Amino acid sequence: MSAARRLRRGATRAMVGLALAAPLLGALVVWLNVRGEMPLPPETPLTSPPSADVARGAYLVKAGNCIGCHTTPGGAALAGGRPIETPFGAVFAPNLTPDDDTGLGRWTASEFWRAMHHGRSRNGRLLYPAFPYTSFTQMTRQDVDAVYAYLRSVPAVKQPPRAHALRFPYSTQPALAVWRALYFRAGHFSTVEEQSDAWNRGKYLVEGLGHCAACHASRNALGAARLHAGLGGGLMTDGGWYAPALSDPAEAGVQQWPRAQVVQLLKTGVSPTASVSGPMADVVHDSTQHLDEADLDAMAQYLISLPPVAASTPTEAAPATPEAMLRGAEVYAQACAACHGKQGEGVAGIYPALAGNRAVTWPSPHNLVQMVRHGGFAPTTEGNPRPFGMPPFAQTLSNDDVAAVVTYLRQSWGHRASAVSALQVSRIR
């Protein structure tokens, strides 16, 4: 038999094998997407939710920071329309108000539970995991029903959903079904018996309702949290900010902090040794400042207990060129030293020190670049009603200037972090 004939025969067999396997693979994907789901019972939407459920639901909505995604700046609360940027395009948050035509008005409690627990919409379509049902699946049915009761009580707003702007094939239901078959399985919250009730409550808030892993977990090329990623840090889905590792004391881990300081940071946005800014400032402003002390203390207990990552010997970065350091020093003297001090010492309680600041030397320079370009602002909270802020310099500093001053910060006062180029600055959205 000639080589060409053998090649044709082999190709034919491969095509036949593929044709036979395709239906089986398709059936497997379908099964993996519906496993664990029960048929929805016949019921009608609640008309007058119990007041206790509404009050509890309002609290849970704050704890889950629903307003952060489902409210556009200046728009009606929870009416949707805000884009959630991902590497695959934008997903627009839907309307959560009880409008019959454009919101949740016709949804039943079981349909809402299915969306939160299984990631499936009222009409059966699969939901994109930009809506973090991968974390919400741990919520109890009682809590989900309370959230539903509250959402039924807010003013209805007629605001049609915006079409997602995802690239092909990520915009298709089959592609989403394959993703879910690979990376999602509906679950439930499991307590750890040897831990206290408070610790387990903190775990529930951090891993489930608070969905901290939505930002603080590293992701693979398809946007799924990496296996055993935990809260080990990673770039956020918009690619503009780095969510630092909560398991690493060298980044944002609080394992060595007094518990009261962790509670203070979550409650007010500032503590004696740290402050929040960027996306985390929004979380504190919209969510954690509204939680009661018991829940904040429970979260602090859980975060402090996270096993710290194994210590490794840091790789010392190559020093920047003398020209880059000189230019960075000039920019720092002109734009930064008046507040942060000539030696990066800062002013206690007002301007943070930059020398020895762990956020300055994180592996990713994203947040430092964003702060220089767009400013840094702690949230306004009851415990910190008039926070100091840092003005933006995007209009006065070029990419070369930003790169130089960020490099200067990362390689001065004993810092040994990597230099930053103007190209890196331009790529950070």
Side-chain angles (χ1 to χ4, degrees):
M1 183 184 297
S2 67
R5 188 174 178 183
R6 285 196 300 270
L7 184 60
R8 287 195 298 271
R9 179 172 292 184
T12 301
R13 288 175 177 171
M15 292 176 65
V16 170
L18 183 61
L20 293 173
L24 296 176
L25 290 173
L28 177 61
V29 167
V30 170
W31 177 79
L32 289 171
N33 272 273
V34 300
R35 60 182 167 177
E37 287 192 37
M38 302 296 291
L40 294 179
E43 62 177 297
T44 57
L46 292 175
T47 54
S48 299
S51 58
D53 285 351
V54 171
R56 177 166 175 76
Y59 179 83
L60 295 171
V61 163
K62 285 188 172 68
N65 194 25
C66 302
I67 199 169
C69 289
H70 291 274
T71 303
T72 57
L78 300 172
R82 187 167 187 163
I84 298 145
E85 298 293 342
T86 78
F88 319 106
V91 175
F92 289 90
N95 184 349
L96 297 184
T97 74
D99 180 69
D100 281 350
D101 298 320
T102 65
L104 301 181
R106 301 182 192 277
W107 285 58
T108 67
S110 292
E111 289 168 342
F112 186 73
W113 160 255
R114 184 174 68 172
M116 296 283 281
H117 189 65
H118 292 286
R120 189 183 297 275
S121 187
R122 180 172 183 257
N123 61 8
R125 287 179 65 83
L126 305 177
L127 297 173
Y128 287 99
F131 167 54
Y133 56 83
T134 50
S135 295
F136 292 156
T137 190
Q138 296 191 48
M139 290 178 63
T140 65
R141 177 65 192 259
Q142 183 182 15
D143 279 356
V144 172
D145 284 349
V147 170
Y148 171 78
Y150 171 70
L151 294 177
R152 295 287 304 168
S153 74
V154 304
V157 177
K158 190 172 291 296
Q159 181 162 293
R162 296 181 62 181
H164 301 318
L166 293 166
R167 300 189 303 277
F168 182 85
Y170 310 110
S171 57
T172 67
Q173 285 282 293
L176 180 54
V178 170
W179 186 94
R180 286 165 49 100
L182 290 171
Y183 302 118
F184 173 67
R185 183 171 185 175
H188 63 278
F189 180 73
S190 299
T191 59
V192 179
E193 292 185 1
E194 58 268 26
Q195 295 288 352
S196 67
D197 290 344
W199 184 94
N200 278 295
R201 174 66 175 170
K203 182 175 187 285
Y204 178 77
L205 291 168
V206 169
E207 294 190 356
L209 179 58
H211 60 281
C212 300
C215 293
H216 289 278
S218 61
R219 298 186 176 274
N220 63 23
L222 293 179
R226 297 183 188 278
L227 190 63
H228 308 306
L231 298 171
L235 281 181
M236 295 179 63
T237 58
D238 64 359
W241 290 85
Y242 174 72
L246 301 180
S247 56
D248 186 353
E251 291 196 20
V254 294
Q255 290 88 340
Q256 299 167 5
W257 286 30
R259 206 160 75 202
Q261 288 190 19
V262 182
V263 171
Q264 182 183 5
L265 187 67
L266 294 172
K267 186 72 174 179
T268 67
V270 295
S271 77
T273 55
S275 62
V276 300
S277 60
M280 190 61 198
D282 294 334
V283 172
V284 171
H285 180 270
D286 296 333
S287 177
T288 57
Q289 73 159 320
H290 302 289
L291 302 188
D292 59 40
E293 291 292 326
D295 276 347
L296 291 175
D297 189 67
M299 293 175 69
Q301 288 188 49
Y302 179 70
L303 291 171
I304 288 172
S305 76
L306 292 175
V309 295
S312 58
T313 304
T315 302
E316 190 167 305
T321 63
E323 294 79 12
M325 291 296 287
L326 178 61
R327 183 171 187 173
E330 292 173 349
V331 174
Y332 183 84
Q334 295 169 5
C336 314
C339 294
H340 293 287
K342 292 182 179 179
Q343 298 301 317
E345 69 274 16
V347 178
I350 303 176
Y351 306 118
L354 300 178
N357 189 320
R358 60 184 183 175
V360 171
T361 56
W362 284 341
S364 167
H366 280 65
N367 297 6
L368 201 55
V369 169
Q370 296 285 37
M371 297 273 281
V372 172
R373 293 173 67 180
H374 303 297
F377 304 92
T380 300
T381 60
E382 184 176 345
N384 188 32
R386 301 178 67 182
F388 289 92
M390 171 181 161
F393 290 93
Q395 300 301 317
T396 57
L397 297 181
S398 67
N399 285 349
D400 287 324
D401 289 333
V402 173
V405 73
V406 169
T407 296
Y408 176 76
L409 295 176
R410 289 166 63 83
Q411 297 202 357
S412 295
W413 313 307
H415 299 165
R416 293 292 182 267
S418 60
V420 177
S421 69
L423 180 59
Q424 284 178 281
V425 170
S426 69
R427 286 178 172 173
I428 295 174
R429 291 186 288 180

